[in-house]
Amino acid sequence: MLSRNSVNILKRLQVRLQSTLVIAEHNNATLTPITRSSITAAKKIGNDVTVLVAGTKCSEVASSVAKLDGVKRVLVAENEAFNGFLAEAITPLVLAAQKQFNFSHIIAGASAQGKSIVPRIASKLDVSPISEVIAIKDKDTFVRTIYAGNAVLTLKSLDAVKVLTVRGTNFEATGDASAAAVVENAPAGEFKTDLAAFVGQELAKSDRPELTAAKCIVSGGRGLKSGENFKILYDLADKLGGAVGASRAAVDAGYVSNDLEIGQTGKIVAPDLYIAVGISGAIQHLAGMKDSKTIVAINKDPEAPIFQVADLGLVADLFKAVPELTEKI
Ligand SMILES: Cc1cc2nc3c(=O)[nH]c(=O)nc-3n(C[C@H](O)[C@H](O)[C@H](O)COP(=O)(O)OP(=O)(O)OC[C@H]3O[C@@H](n4cnc5c(N)ncnc54)[C@H](O)[C@@H]3O)c2cc1C
């Protein structure tokens, strides 16, 4: 017969064993939208949700995370070692938190940062990382795309700890909470690393919305024929308050920089409106945009595969059609 005390300890252990850690992404000032989506994914698992905020001066971000719906606790770690958010420094912090709290699930967004941290954590915990999750069926069963988005795989993980990246475009952003969650210090430790050093970063400055957060994207392909010709897309995007994206062919040809690339090796987007201009619709491009709510294609070739996924198609010369469209808006 177990004493009441032992029962309570067992109950607490049970709660611990079924809890989820979300690794927040931010720039020490504002939270990246994918974290709100990751929290929604965590809520779907059904456990208590803890969010880890690691940075150099990130206490304000931690306070804002505490006010998000579904968050039970925020662990905050401020340390110069997290300058540049190097995966080599953040991984031991996550492992220290895991050692203390014994989470059953660890989630990060499927962003460059999440994709860098999660495999390291999974390998240290000796479990399989589950990447680019697009839906959560239950605490063990996850849906993800494979073969550049051409097949959907539902997998059941038998690992003791599930370590996932989730696609931001497939989970709504969590809303604000009525009451703030507890904010406490993450486990302390020596997180300075000799494996990598943060030298600096140059961020592209733009008045236009960021691609992965834009509600409207005007995207150009090889059909634009030059970087200068992208101006007609910028004019249209400005009228629509949208962002400009590109196919890999347009990036490889040097028409635009590679941070505009959409697709399997570029960004995954799902805006309300995606206008594909002079893009043929190769599977690798579709992998990055086919979840867009409304897809419009402008292409002079009526057989172009992009028309198979388009809600609205215009068979026309883009150099005539796009300026006309911009003028009429
Ligand atoms: C491993 C791998 C990963 C890849 N990852 C990506 C990725 O992430 N993103 C990506 O985009 N691609 C990716 N690709 C490349 C992909 O296979 C295609 O080559 C690429 O998407 C083609 O780009 P495009 O549609 O701009 O060019 P094209 O296929 O050359 O199409 C150009 C289109 O423009 C139309 N056009 C030309 N002139 C006009 C005009 N005047 N008016 C109207 N229409 C016109 C043509 O009819 C044509 O349909 C990847 C490939 C590989 C092998």
Side-chain angles (χ1 to χ4, degrees), residues 213-224:
K215 297 249 176 279
C216 164
I217 295 175
V218 182
S219 200
R222 188 159 19 213
L224 267 292

Side-chain angles (χ1 to χ4, degrees), residues 170-185:
N170 292 88
F171 297 93
E172 292 283 320
T174 193
D176 296 328
S178 46
V182 183
V183 179
E184 56 188 73
N185 286 331

Side-chain angles (χ1 to χ4, degrees), residues 220-230 234 246-258 260 278:
R222 188 159 19 213
L224 267 292
K225 297 193 170 58
S226 76
E228 291 77 56
N229 289 339
F230 260 73
Y234 282 112
S247 71
R248 175 155 153 186
V251 170
D252 286 351
Y255 302 168
V256 287
S257 62
N258 66 357
L260 298 196

Side-chain angles (χ1 to χ4, degrees), residues 220-223 225 246-250 261-266 278-282 284-285 298-301 304 316-319:
R222 188 159 19 213
K225 297 193 170 58
S247 71
R248 175 155 153 186
E261 183 177 324
I262 290 169
Q264 186 188 335
T265 44
I279 292 179
S280 59
Q284 295 91 351
H285 186 78
I298 302 174
N299 198 304
K300 67 178 184 186
D301 174 8
D317 185 332
L318 69 92
F319 295 107

Side-chain angles (χ1 to χ4, degrees), residues 21-32 35 39 50-68 71 73-79 82 85 90 93-94 97 113 182-187:
L21 177 71
V22 173
I23 303 167
E25 201 172 317
H26 61 92
N27 62 1
N28 283 312
T30 47
L31 194 65
T32 309
T35 304
I39 293 169
T50 298
V51 182
L52 175 66
V53 181
T56 44
K57 285 194 179 96
C58 56
S59 56
E60 278 186 25
V61 177
S63 311
S64 70
V65 171
K67 293 177 198 134
L68 296 181
V71 177
R73 172 175 45 197
V74 178
L75 298 176
V76 56
E78 288 190 326
N79 192 318
F82 304 134
F85 308 102
I90 292 180
L93 169 69
V94 176
Q113 189 180 319
V182 183
V183 179
E184 56 188 73
N185 286 331

Side-chain angles (χ1 to χ4, degrees), residues 12-19 100-104:
R12 279 218 305 276
L13 206 58
Q14 181 95 20
V15 171
R16 277 186 184 181
L17 286 174
Q18 288 302 321
S19 58
Q100 182 172 340
F101 296 102
N102 200 14
F103 299 106
S104 55

